[in-house]
PDB file of all heavy atoms in Angstrom:
ATOM      1  N   LEU T1358      36.029 -87.530 -60.662  1.00  0.00           N
ATOM      2  CA  LEU T1358      34.946 -87.055 -61.506  1.00  0.00           C
ATOM      3  C   LEU T1358      34.463 -85.533 -61.030  1.00  0.00           C
ATOM      4  O   LEU T1358      34.260 -84.694 -61.773  1.00  0.00           O
ATOM      5  CB  LEU T1358      33.721 -87.878 -61.391  1.00  0.00           C
ATOM      6  CG  LEU T1358      33.621 -89.012 -62.374  1.00  0.00           C
ATOM      7  CD1 LEU T1358      32.392 -89.935 -62.097  1.00  0.00           C
ATOM      8  CD2 LEU T1358      33.648 -88.494 -63.846  1.00  0.00           C
ATOM      9  N   GLN T1359      34.476 -85.330 -59.701  1.00  0.00           N
ATOM     10  CA  GLN T1359      34.454 -83.976 -59.170  1.00  0.00           C
ATOM     11  C   GLN T1359      35.253 -82.880 -59.626  1.00  0.00           C
ATOM     12  O   GLN T1359      35.099 -81.769 -59.874  1.00  0.00           O
ATOM     13  CB  GLN T1359      34.244 -84.000 -57.670  1.00  0.00           C
ATOM     14  CG  GLN T1359      32.970 -84.661 -57.115  1.00  0.00           C
ATOM     15  CD  GLN T1359      33.019 -84.603 -55.607  1.00  0.00           C
ATOM     16  OE1 GLN T1359      33.991 -84.367 -54.889  1.00  0.00           O
ATOM     17  NE2 GLN T1359      31.849 -85.026 -55.087  1.00  0.00           N
ATOM     18  N   GLY T1360      36.601 -83.525 -59.678  1.00  0.00           N
ATOM     19  CA  GLY T1360      37.676 -82.635 -60.193  1.00  0.00           C
ATOM     20  C   GLY T1360      37.442 -82.320 -61.688  1.00  0.00           C
ATOM     21  O   GLY T1360      37.701 -81.139 -62.054  1.00  0.00           O
ATOM     22  N   ILE T1361      37.150 -83.202 -62.399  1.00  0.00           N
ATOM     23  CA  ILE T1361      36.792 -82.970 -63.890  1.00  0.00           C
ATOM     24  C   ILE T1361      35.705 -81.914 -64.017  1.00  0.00           C
ATOM     25  O   ILE T1361      35.740 -81.024 -64.797  1.00  0.00           O
ATOM     26  CB  ILE T1361      36.412 -84.206 -64.636  1.00  0.00           C
ATOM     27  CG1 ILE T1361      37.574 -85.089 -64.613  1.00  0.00           C
ATOM     28  CG2 ILE T1361      35.813 -83.835 -66.063  1.00  0.00           C
ATOM     29  CD1 ILE T1361      37.406 -86.568 -65.187  1.00  0.00           C
ATOM     30  N   GLY T1362      34.696 -82.047 -63.201  1.00  0.00           N
ATOM     31  CA  GLY T1362      33.488 -80.970 -63.074  1.00  0.00           C
ATOM     32  C   GLY T1362      34.180 -79.617 -62.725  1.00  0.00           C
ATOM     33  O   GLY T1362      33.733 -78.647 -63.302  1.00  0.00           O
ATOM     34  N   SER T1363      35.018 -79.576 -61.818  1.00  0.00           N
ATOM     35  CA  SER T1363      35.610 -78.241 -61.444  1.00  0.00           C
ATOM     36  C   SER T1363      36.537 -77.740 -62.651  1.00  0.00           C
ATOM     37  O   SER T1363      36.286 -76.478 -62.811  1.00  0.00           O
ATOM     38  CB  SER T1363      36.478 -78.583 -60.236  1.00  0.00           C
ATOM     39  OG  SER T1363      37.402 -77.500 -60.012  1.00  0.00           O
ATOM     40  N   VAL T1364      37.169 -78.522 -63.320  1.00  0.00           N
ATOM     41  CA  VAL T1364      37.914 -77.963 -64.421  1.00  0.00           C
ATOM     42  C   VAL T1364      36.976 -77.459 -65.586  1.00  0.00           C
ATOM     43  O   VAL T1364      37.279 -76.503 -66.174  1.00  0.00           O
ATOM     44  CB  VAL T1364      38.925 -78.983 -64.871  1.00  0.00           C
ATOM     45  CG1 VAL T1364      39.652 -78.556 -66.276  1.00  0.00           C
ATOM     46  CG2 VAL T1364      40.014 -79.321 -63.864  1.00  0.00           C
ATOM     47  N   LYS T1365      35.881 -78.230 -65.812  1.00  0.00           N
ATOM     48  CA  LYS T1365      34.889 -77.799 -66.828  1.00  0.00           C
ATOM     49  C   LYS T1365      34.288 -76.486 -66.349  1.00  0.00           C
ATOM     50  O   LYS T1365      34.207 -75.575 -67.262  1.00  0.00           O
ATOM     51  CB  LYS T1365      33.847 -78.874 -66.860  1.00  0.00           C
ATOM     52  CG  LYS T1365      34.235 -80.123 -67.680  1.00  0.00           C
ATOM     53  CD  LYS T1365      33.048 -81.099 -67.814  1.00  0.00           C
ATOM     54  CE  LYS T1365      33.423 -82.345 -68.532  1.00  0.00           C
ATOM     55  NZ  LYS T1365      32.335 -83.385 -68.692  1.00  0.00           N
ATOM     56  N   ARG T1366      34.025 -76.223 -65.221  1.00  0.00           N
ATOM     57  CA  ARG T1366      33.586 -74.880 -64.712  1.00  0.00           C
ATOM     58  C   ARG T1366      34.647 -73.902 -64.950  1.00  0.00           C
ATOM     59  O   ARG T1366      34.334 -72.811 -65.397  1.00  0.00           O
ATOM     60  CB  ARG T1366      33.178 -74.953 -63.205  1.00  0.00           C
ATOM     61  CG  ARG T1366      32.595 -73.762 -62.616  1.00  0.00           C
ATOM     62  CD  ARG T1366      32.785 -73.564 -61.176  1.00  0.00           C
ATOM     63  NE  ARG T1366      34.268 -73.434 -60.869  1.00  0.00           N
ATOM     64  CZ  ARG T1366      34.764 -74.138 -59.883  1.00  0.00           C
ATOM     65  NH1 ARG T1366      34.218 -75.070 -59.186  1.00  0.00           N
ATOM     66  NH2 ARG T1366      36.154 -74.102 -59.652  1.00  0.00           N
ATOM     67  N   ASP T1367      35.923 -74.210 -64.733  1.00  0.00           N
ATOM     68  CA  ASP T1367      36.831 -73.203 -64.936  1.00  0.00           C
ATOM     69  C   ASP T1367      37.050 -72.830 -66.422  1.00  0.00           C
ATOM     70  O   ASP T1367      37.338 -71.679 -66.815  1.00  0.00           O
ATOM     71  CB  ASP T1367      38.234 -73.717 -64.500  1.00  0.00           C
ATOM     72  CG  ASP T1367      38.426 -73.824 -62.901  1.00  0.00           C
ATOM     73  OD1 ASP T1367      37.568 -73.263 -62.226  1.00  0.00           O
ATOM     74  OD2 ASP T1367      39.492 -74.488 -62.476  1.00  0.00           O
ATOM     75  N   CYS T1368      36.756 -73.887 -67.283  1.00  0.00           N
ATOM     76  CA  CYS T1368      36.830 -73.503 -68.770  1.00  0.00           C
ATOM     77  C   CYS T1368      35.637 -72.480 -69.021  1.00  0.00           C
ATOM     78  O   CYS T1368      35.903 -71.542 -69.848  1.00  0.00           O
ATOM     79  CB  CYS T1368      36.522 -74.727 -69.610  1.00  0.00           C
ATOM     80  SG  CYS T1368      37.776 -75.969 -69.482  1.00  0.00           S
ATOM     81  N   SER T1369      34.468 -72.655 -68.386  1.00  0.00           N
ATOM     82  CA  SER T1369      33.374 -71.699 -68.589  1.00  0.00           C
ATOM     83  C   SER T1369      33.764 -70.276 -68.171  1.00  0.00           C
ATOM     84  O   SER T1369      33.486 -69.317 -68.713  1.00  0.00           O
ATOM     85  CB  SER T1369      32.140 -72.195 -67.904  1.00  0.00           C
ATOM     86  OG  SER T1369      31.634 -73.510 -68.498  1.00  0.00           O
ATOM     87  N   ILE T1370      34.446 -70.234 -67.033  1.00  0.00           N
ATOM     88  CA  ILE T1370      34.958 -69.095 -66.405  1.00  0.00           C
ATOM     89  C   ILE T1370      35.841 -68.387 -67.376  1.00  0.00           C
ATOM     90  O   ILE T1370      35.821 -67.276 -67.670  1.00  0.00           O
ATOM     91  CB  ILE T1370      35.537 -69.192 -65.080  1.00  0.00           C
ATOM     92  CG1 ILE T1370      34.467 -69.703 -63.969  1.00  0.00           C
ATOM     93  CG2 ILE T1370      36.295 -67.889 -64.584  1.00  0.00           C
ATOM     94  CD1 ILE T1370      35.028 -70.096 -62.699  1.00  0.00           C
ATOM     95  N   TRP T1371      36.939 -69.052 -67.932  1.00  0.00           N
ATOM     96  CA  TRP T1371      37.849 -68.478 -68.836  1.00  0.00           C
ATOM     97  C   TRP T1371      37.129 -68.000 -70.193  1.00  0.00           C
ATOM     98  O   TRP T1371      37.523 -66.923 -70.656  1.00  0.00           O
ATOM     99  CB  TRP T1371      38.934 -69.529 -69.212  1.00  0.00           C
ATOM    100  CG  TRP T1371      40.015 -69.434 -68.170  1.00  0.00           C
ATOM    101  CD1 TRP T1371      40.211 -70.389 -67.166  1.00  0.00           C
ATOM    102  CD2 TRP T1371      41.055 -68.339 -68.028  1.00  0.00           C
ATOM    103  NE1 TRP T1371      41.307 -69.892 -66.341  1.00  0.00           N
ATOM    104  CE2 TRP T1371      41.786 -68.790 -67.056  1.00  0.00           C
ATOM    105  CE3 TRP T1371      41.337 -67.255 -68.803  1.00  0.00           C
ATOM    106  CZ2 TRP T1371      43.003 -67.932 -66.594  1.00  0.00           C
ATOM    107  CZ3 TRP T1371      42.433 -66.542 -68.415  1.00  0.00           C
ATOM    108  CH2 TRP T1371      43.216 -66.984 -67.321  1.00  0.00           C
ATOM    109  N   GLN T1372      36.222 -68.739 -70.705  1.00  0.00           N
ATOM    110  CA  GLN T1372      35.475 -68.353 -71.773  1.00  0.00           C
ATOM    111  C   GLN T1372      34.754 -67.023 -71.544  1.00  0.00           C
ATOM    112  O   GLN T1372      34.761 -66.100 -72.317  1.00  0.00           O
ATOM    113  CB  GLN T1372      34.576 -69.389 -72.330  1.00  0.00           C
ATOM    114  CG  GLN T1372      33.743 -68.947 -73.553  1.00  0.00           C
ATOM    115  CD  GLN T1372      32.793 -70.005 -74.172  1.00  0.00           C
ATOM    116  OE1 GLN T1372      32.537 -71.076 -73.463  1.00  0.00           O
ATOM    117  NE2 GLN T1372      32.284 -70.019 -75.243  1.00  0.00           N
ATOM    118  N   GLU T1373      33.993 -67.065 -70.375  1.00  0.00           N
ATOM    119  CA  GLU T1373      33.220 -65.795 -70.062  1.00  0.00           C
ATOM    120  C   GLU T1373      34.322 -64.577 -69.804  1.00  0.00           C
ATOM    121  O   GLU T1373      33.959 -63.525 -70.186  1.00  0.00           O
ATOM    122  CB  GLU T1373      32.492 -66.040 -68.693  1.00  0.00           C
ATOM    123  CG  GLU T1373      31.638 -64.789 -68.337  1.00  0.00           C
ATOM    124  CD  GLU T1373      30.809 -65.091 -67.163  1.00  0.00           C
ATOM    125  OE1 GLU T1373      30.693 -66.289 -66.741  1.00  0.00           O
ATOM    126  OE2 GLU T1373      30.290 -64.183 -66.582  1.00  0.00           O
ATOM    127  N   PHE T1374      35.414 -64.901 -69.175  1.00  0.00           N
ATOM    128  CA  PHE T1374      36.372 -63.793 -68.990  1.00  0.00           C
ATOM    129  C   PHE T1374      36.851 -63.240 -70.314  1.00  0.00           C
ATOM    130  O   PHE T1374      36.888 -61.981 -70.423  1.00  0.00           O
ATOM    131  CB  PHE T1374      37.601 -64.445 -68.246  1.00  0.00           C
ATOM    132  CG  PHE T1374      38.908 -63.617 -68.212  1.00  0.00           C
ATOM    133  CD1 PHE T1374      38.866 -62.554 -67.154  1.00  0.00           C
ATOM    134  CD2 PHE T1374      39.831 -63.684 -69.064  1.00  0.00           C
ATOM    135  CE1 PHE T1374      40.132 -61.879 -67.115  1.00  0.00           C
ATOM    136  CE2 PHE T1374      41.030 -63.024 -68.920  1.00  0.00           C
ATOM    137  CZ  PHE T1374      41.206 -61.975 -67.992  1.00  0.00           C
ATOM    138  N   CYS T1375      37.163 -64.050 -71.295  1.00  0.00           N
ATOM    139  CA  CYS T1375      37.694 -63.656 -72.604  1.00  0.00           C
ATOM    140  C   CYS T1375      36.560 -62.792 -73.281  1.00  0.00           C
ATOM    141  O   CYS T1375      36.839 -61.740 -73.964  1.00  0.00           O
ATOM    142  CB  CYS T1375      38.115 -64.671 -73.429  1.00  0.00           C
ATOM    143  SG  CYS T1375      39.787 -65.353 -72.891  1.00  0.00           S
ATOM    144  N   GLU T1376      35.299 -63.265 -73.312  1.00  0.00           N
ATOM    145  CA  GLU T1376      34.178 -62.500 -73.839  1.00  0.00           C
ATOM    146  C   GLU T1376      33.853 -61.248 -73.342  1.00  0.00           C
ATOM    147  O   GLU T1376      33.787 -60.330 -73.873  1.00  0.00           O
ATOM    148  CB  GLU T1376      32.872 -63.497 -73.872  1.00  0.00           C
ATOM    149  CG  GLU T1376      33.080 -64.680 -74.851  1.00  0.00           C
ATOM    150  CD  GLU T1376      32.084 -65.779 -74.724  1.00  0.00           C
ATOM    151  OE1 GLU T1376      31.138 -65.673 -73.800  1.00  0.00           O
ATOM    152  OE2 GLU T1376      32.057 -66.622 -75.367  1.00  0.00           O
ATOM    153  N   TYR T1377      33.956 -61.256 -71.848  1.00  0.00           N
ATOM    154  CA  TYR T1377      33.664 -59.945 -71.135  1.00  0.00           C
ATOM    155  C   TYR T1377      34.740 -58.834 -71.413  1.00  0.00           C
ATOM    156  O   TYR T1377      34.457 -57.790 -71.610  1.00  0.00           O
ATOM    157  CB  TYR T1377      33.732 -60.331 -69.725  1.00  0.00           C
ATOM    158  CG  TYR T1377      33.482 -59.118 -68.846  1.00  0.00           C
ATOM    159  CD1 TYR T1377      32.248 -58.533 -68.615  1.00  0.00           C
ATOM    160  CD2 TYR T1377      34.510 -58.444 -68.215  1.00  0.00           C
ATOM    161  CE1 TYR T1377      31.967 -57.359 -67.785  1.00  0.00           C
ATOM    162  CE2 TYR T1377      34.393 -57.347 -67.378  1.00  0.00           C
ATOM    163  CZ  TYR T1377      33.055 -56.790 -67.218  1.00  0.00           C
ATOM    164  OH  TYR T1377      32.867 -55.635 -66.479  1.00  0.00           O
TER     165      TYR T1377
END
Side-chain angles (χ1 to χ4, degrees):
L1358 277 175
Q1359 287 177 349
I1361 292 170
S1363 168
V1364 174
K1365 286 181 177 182
R1366 183 204 62 230
D1367 288 352
C1368 292
S1369 297
I1370 290 169
W1371 273 103
Q1372 181 179 7
E1373 184 178 346
F1374 169 83
C1375 289
E1376 290 169 356
Y1377 179 82

